[in-house]
Amino acid sequence: MRSFNAPLDPALARQMLATAYDEAVQSLNEGGIPIGAALFLRDGTLLGSGHNRRVQENDASVHAETDAFRKAGRRRDYPDCVMATTLSPCWYCSGLVRQFNIGAVVIGETTNFHGGHDWLGELGVEILVLDDERCTELLGAFIDQHHDLWHEDIGL
């Protein structure tokens, strides 16, 4: 993992998260699970954004992070990239970050689900948890209303 001298700027990280949050709202509006993600360069350049599409596409593999990653297109390497996601990445999506050596992950919230971000941090990935109230409330309300669908999505 390539290291960077300066940690992510929290203000820039919040801007990145705003893109992911908009994707989560879009998923909810489509009848899907409200989780969004976006892949950026460290300077804030957006490469691709997406959202959980398990319901919309009837495909269990289309999580928000994988959707954003696919939409970002092919790159030679990813250490200078930041994955912004509204929720702590599950093990599947944490594996994506690890496989492609994405250098940093900005996380909206870990209240509704605590995924593999601690493991990623141990591997040298820069992790920034923002504890964003909007992210927590959006998914929390969805879980309350669609408990079975949430458990299907998260593999419980």
Side-chain angles (χ1 to χ4, degrees):
M1 195 78 44
R2 189 184 322 165
S3 64
F4 295 88
N5 292 333
L8 281 172
D9 173 44
L12 180 58
R14 289 202 177 278
Q15 291 174 358
M16 292 174 174
L17 182 62
T19 300
Y21 181 83
D22 289 346
E23 287 283 346
V25 171
Q26 183 177 341
S27 185
L28 183 64
N29 291 339
E30 293 172 358
I33 298 164
I35 303 170
L39 188 67
F40 293 88
L41 293 177
R42 277 185 85 83
D43 68 3
T45 302
L46 177 64
L47 300 173
S49 63
H51 51 270
N52 187 301
R53 296 176 188 269
R54 295 184 85 248
V55 173
Q56 298 92 314
E57 296 186 11
N58 196 32
D59 181 346
S61 70
V62 189
H63 286 203
E65 295 88 346
T66 60
D67 193 39
F69 184 78
R70 289 172 181 157
K71 289 179 178 171
R74 191 174 132 208
R75 296 180 51 83
R76 172 144 176 80
D77 58 21
Y78 296 85
D80 63 336
C81 292
V82 177
M83 180 67 77
T85 179
T86 57
L87 183 66
S88 176
C90 69
W91 287 104
Y92 170 60
C93 296
S94 294
L96 173 87
V97 170
R98 174 68 178 121
Q99 175 70 30
F100 291 96
N101 295 316
I102 294 171
V105 180
V106 171
I107 300 167
E109 64 110 343
T110 62
T111 301
N112 288 300
F113 178 75
H114 190 106
H117 69 271
D118 291 333
W119 172 69
L120 291 171
E122 291 169 6
L123 296 171
V125 176
E126 183 179 357
I127 302 295
L128 181 56
V129 178
L130 296 178
D131 292 321
D132 186 274
E133 190 174 302
R134 292 186 327 154
C135 292
T136 303
E137 289 176 5
L138 182 68
L139 186 58
F142 178 85
I143 291 169
D144 287 345
Q145 296 170 8
H146 305 282
H147 186 77
D148 289 343
L149 182 56
W150 167 248
H151 281 272
E152 175 191 322
D153 184 66
I154 211 62
L156 297 175

